[in-house]
Every structure is written in structure tokens, then in C-alpha cells.
Amino acid sequence: MDFGVVLQTDPPARDVVAGLTAAEDNGFRYGWTFDSCVLWQEPFVIYSQVLAATKHLIVGPMVTNPSTRDWSVTASLFATLNDMFGNRTVCGIGRGDSARRVIGQPPASLATLKRAMHVIKELAEGNEVEHHGTPVRIPWVRDGRLEIWMAAYGPKALRLVGEQADGFILQTADADIARWTIGSVREAATAAGRDPDSITMCVAAPAYVGTDLGHQRDQLRWFGGMVGNHVADLVARYGDSGVVPKALTDYIRGREGYDYAHHGRVGHPSTSFVPDEIVDRFCLLGPESAHIDRLQELKEIGVHNFALYLMHDDKENTLSSYGKGVISHV
């Protein structure tokens, strides 16, 4: 199993660079950031500094979307970084949440996302593709390579992952949800004539190593609220008839809106509806042994990559604990 760290691009950017450099020093292979350029600083500018400060770290957004930038811009950003630093980027992408909603726009449709993934990948790899009805190719790309990992929860989105994406991002560490979603992606890949083993399965969730479970839960409750944004969309689309597992949908019954000004932050005022049970299921808490046990379970389910959201008050200890103990055991 590979490991990554997910950070927000809060200023000063040098702290993000230092954080991801420390991640590589602790054995992490991937460095991720949020991509909401109103709420945080522009990540692609910061990626160049991260890549220059590290030797092997692979960087990318967790996650970008098809609508913030023209697809040619997104492709050129990745291609430029890859040309400078040797194909060390990955494109995590979804329909869009905070980046879109804070500017008064809805998430993109799956049809738009499907087309965007194709155009971005082809352009970033130096191939010609039709874009806005015009044949387009980035002529300076040399030996470009870009994997597209798609974030998804619902049945239609999971099918698209299996049909097209190079990787799958599941933003929760719940084992039951991982079984259902990974199984759905693999089934879709097989039905599309693809090798399901060629798709990287990535679970992204907060992790906090320590012994004060009550404090840890309060520090990570924000994540249940963030996931709840996507779950609310699923319930609006599919209802609560069981098409989407109740393990994912039941907890949002008490949800009353969401304040994006506090998105992804400890103490988020819109996440009081998230019960302790959900924090325990969606996140990794407790001593190192508890993290190792959950990661081993996820590995057996078919997870290849764990991306650790590092937003709480004991980042350095958690990063060090993973570097010294957790990663080597998993």
C-alpha cells in the first residue's frame, strides 16, 4: 500500500511545501492538496515549489473539477510540471464541491466530467483531441504521462470510474462502504472490457494518532460534514431506498445546511449533526495499532493507496507515527 498526505493550501505557501517535504521524509509517496482557489491559495503554483523541494513525491489535487479552469489550462498545468520534474503528477478529479459552490455554481454533470477526463489526459500526454469542436494538441509535450483518479460515491459515478479512470478516490475509510464502492468499480471495469486490477484504489480520510478518543473525534468531526455534502446530493438523486448503502446515507438526517467558509476545518459549526460513530467509521483514530488494523482491513478489501487528511492539532506527531511505525507495518 502506498501513502499520501492531503493538505489545504493555506498561506503561507512555504508551510505547505515544508509539510509535504516532511511527508516524503516520513515515507509518504504522494502529496495532495485541496483545490478551491477562492478558499485557499492556487495549488498549481505551490506544486512547482513542492516538486523542487522533493525527490520522488507525486503531487496532485484532492480533487480538482472540470469547471474551474478550461480543460486545456488544466492539461497544460500538469504537462508543464511533468516536463519540469519528470511525470510526478496525478490528476484527482470529481464533479466539484467547494470550488464551485463558493462562486454560486453547481457541481458539473457526470457527462461533463467524463469528457473533461478524456480531454485533459489526452492533451497532457501530447495527443490530439477535439476540444470546443476544434482539434487541439499541446505541441511541446515530450513523453507526457498523466493518470486520472476520479472521486465518486454514487452508482453512476462509480460506473464511470470503472469505465474510464486510472484510479478511484473514496473519501471515507469505512470498510463496508469501501467494499461496496470498490466492488462496483471493479464490476464496471470488467463490463467495459478493462482489467479491474489496473485501477488504483485510493481511500482518503483523516487520521489522528493518539489515545484521547473524545478529543480526536472533536478534531475530525469536520470530515463527516464534508462527506455529507456529497451524500446529500446522492439522497436527492436516489432517495433513501437502498440504492446507496444506508451505511453512507443514514447519518445526514439531522443535517441542516453547510457553511463553506469553514470547509474542511476543525470546529466546523455545521457538523454538529455528525455522531461519534460516523467519525470512528469514516476516520482513523486511536493508537498506532488501531490505524494498522484498519489499514490492513482496507488493504484486504483491495485498497492500494491511503491518503491521510492532516487537519487537526497534532499533525507532526501523526506524521511521525506513520513514518516510524504505521507505514512499515502495512
Side-chain angles (χ1 to χ4, degrees), residues 85-273:
F85 298 102
N87 289 327
R88 287 170 54 198
T89 68
V90 58
C91 177
I93 192 168
R95 293 175 56 228
D97 180 35
S98 60
R100 295 289 293 160
R101 298 189 200 270
V102 296
I103 59 172
Q105 298 296 310
S109 68
L110 284 176
T112 298
L113 178 56
K114 177 179 181 177
R115 180 65 182 159
M117 290 194 295
H118 173 69
V119 170
I120 292 167
K121 183 178 180 68
E122 292 300 309
L123 288 177
E125 294 186 345
N127 301 317
E128 183 179 291
V129 66
E130 185 176 293
H131 183 40
H132 300 310
T134 300
V136 178
R137 184 177 71 86
I138 301 177
W140 47 262
V141 172
R142 301 169 297 177
D143 301 318
R145 202 167 59 246
L146 181 66
E147 290 195 356
I148 307 285
W149 295 11
M150 179 182 155
Y153 291 105
K156 292 181 180 179
L158 294 169
R159 188 183 315 128
L160 178 56
V161 174
E163 292 172 346
Q164 184 173 341
D166 301 301
F168 166 49
I169 296 172
L170 172 64
Q171 290 167 309
T172 172
D174 182 280
D176 290 338
I177 296 170
R179 287 188 186 91
W180 174 68
T181 54
I182 290 173
S184 298
V185 168
R186 292 181 63 87
E187 288 176 8
T190 300
R194 302 181 69 202
D195 178 6
D197 292 334
S198 68
I199 302 173
T200 300
M201 306 295 180
C202 173
V203 160
Y208 190 143
V209 177
T211 57
D212 187 343
L213 289 178
H215 178 71
Q216 290 175 306
R217 287 170 180 142
D218 288 341
Q219 287 282 301
L220 303 184
R221 202 173 306 277
W222 62 266
F223 185 67
M226 188 177 84
V227 173
N229 297 328
H230 304 286
V231 175
D233 286 345
L234 292 178
V235 171
R237 178 181 294 269
Y238 297 104
D240 55 4
S241 61
V243 175
V244 179
K246 292 186 178 297
L248 185 58
T249 61
D250 277 358
Y251 83 98
I252 68 162
R253 294 184 189 280
R255 180 179 182 271
E256 297 179 356
Y258 187 84
D259 183 356
Y260 278 92
H262 305 278
H263 186 58
R265 299 194 183 280
V266 175
H268 194 303
S270 302
T271 60
S272 60
F273 72 94

